[in-house]
Amino acid sequence: MDVYGLIGNPVGHSLSPPMHEAGYETLGLDARYVTFEPNADAAAAAIEGGADLGVAGLNVTVPFKRDALGAVDPDPLAERIGAVNTVDYGPVHEGEADRPRGHNTDAAGVTRALEHHGVTVDGRDALVVGAGGAGRAAAFALADAGAAVHVANRTVERAVELAAAVPGATGGGLDELDDRVAAADLLVNATSVGMEAPAETPVPADHLHEDLAVLDAVYAPAETRLLREAAAAGATAVGGAWMLLYQGVEAFEVWTGESAPVEAMNAALRAELT
Ligand code: ATR
């Protein structure tokens, strides 16, 4: 049996175990997905040494995604984003030392969620609100897929610093958000605003428009105020559960080498969210 898991703190309410196990069951794979909740000072060693316990793969979540970067051999995308959320303890890859391979599937989570909804990224103007881990993954993913990215963040320096690392991107504060929203084709909320707080929104509704696609990284509540107002403006509204699903799908595919059973994984995820 192969053991996969999620390492973070806290991970008690994670939706990943049922989502991944639905995938194993559908493909008839002999595998389990469990959670690990180490103390902060033990996390890096646990991630680096997962293979010693016979673990086949780990997802990494808050607050250990940056620690993971230093505990693995990151692929180029994870290195650029500065965070690892998927560790593969599979056969050591060519030319590398004995450290496990690290990936960042949050980036694919963004582009595959948009793709699922028929949203084109290449050649579009994308506005990423937020410059934390989710914002970094979104900005690199969208730029790599051909979008012109602007990062807007409450702390302007963080946006400017991120934009400097992302090809062709610009960065700024939240003060110019209205104009940026009006000019954008794609909008990603990568802040925590709206999480467990249905009355809050990171983006005023006034300039949302029907040619816009809005992806909200927040998945609880499933329908945030931002998504509700985006839909009311005629925009394409994509909930954070799609990002969660596709980062998991991408990790599943990295680990198993199989095409993930997306529908079964999605059904398991939705069952947990309702
Ligand atoms: P994550 O890794 O989930 O992205 P994070 O690194 O803590 O988490 O980043 C949270 C993001 O939400 C940041 O962009 C943060 O803005 P700052 O960089 O200015 O802290 C943003 N954020 C959190 N609360 C916010 C609020 N009330 N208004 C606007 N932005 C907020």
Side-chain angles (χ1 to χ4, degrees), residues 7-266:
I7 184 167
N9 199 338
V11 288
H13 297 291
S14 171
L15 305 175
S16 291
M19 176 172 70
H20 281 271
E21 293 201 336
Y24 306 144
E25 195 177 323
T26 304
L27 295 190
L29 301 176
D30 184 17
R32 293 295 310 274
Y33 189 104
V34 297
T35 56
F36 300 100
E37 203 173 84
N39 292 325
D41 55 2
I47 292 166
E48 187 169 358
D52 296 337
L53 292 173
V55 172
L58 280 183
N59 281 137
V60 185
T61 190
V62 178
F64 301 138
K65 291 187 191 186
R66 270 197 169 271
D67 296 323
L69 187 70
V72 303
D73 173 36
D75 75 7
L77 178 61
E79 178 102 58
R80 289 160 73 215
I81 294 171
V84 163
N85 82 322
T86 300
V87 182
D88 184 8
Y89 299 99
V92 175
H93 43 284
E94 203 178 324
E96 293 299 342
D98 54 0
R99 291 211 294 180
R101 192 63 157 157
H103 307 268
N104 188 309
T105 70
D106 290 330
V110 171
T111 44
R112 290 182 73 169
L114 291 170
E115 192 182 312
H116 181 102
H117 289 82
V119 176
T120 303
V121 174
D122 191 15
R124 300 300 176 95
D125 285 322
L127 172 59
V128 175
V129 184
R136 292 187 66 84
F140 281 104
L142 294 170
D144 286 358
V149 174
H150 179 80
V151 180
N153 195 49
R154 179 177 62 181
T155 308
V156 180
E157 303 80 65
R158 268 185 116 184
V160 171
E161 189 190 325
L162 171 55
V166 174
T170 53
L174 299 180
D175 48 328
E176 52 186 61
L177 214 46
D178 282 355
D179 290 346
R180 294 285 176 184
V181 172
D185 304 303
L186 308 172
L187 166 64
V188 177
N189 172 37
T191 74
S192 48
V193 179
M195 198 183 293
E196 313 288 356
E200 294 178 12
T201 181
V203 178
D206 326 22
H207 291 79
L208 297 170
H209 56 87
E210 63 184 4
D211 297 323
L212 190 64
V214 177
L215 172 60
D216 195 339
V218 172
Y219 61 82
E223 195 190 43
T224 58
R225 178 173 161 193
L226 172 61
L227 289 177
R228 205 166 49 245
E229 292 179 341
T236 303
V238 183
W242 292 104
M243 251 177 87
L244 182 62
L245 171 68
Y246 277 108
Q247 63 74 34
V249 161
E250 186 84 6
F252 187 104
E253 293 177 345
V254 165
W255 290 329
T256 66
E258 309 257 3
S259 189
V262 176
E263 278 179 31
M265 292 173 73
N266 188 36

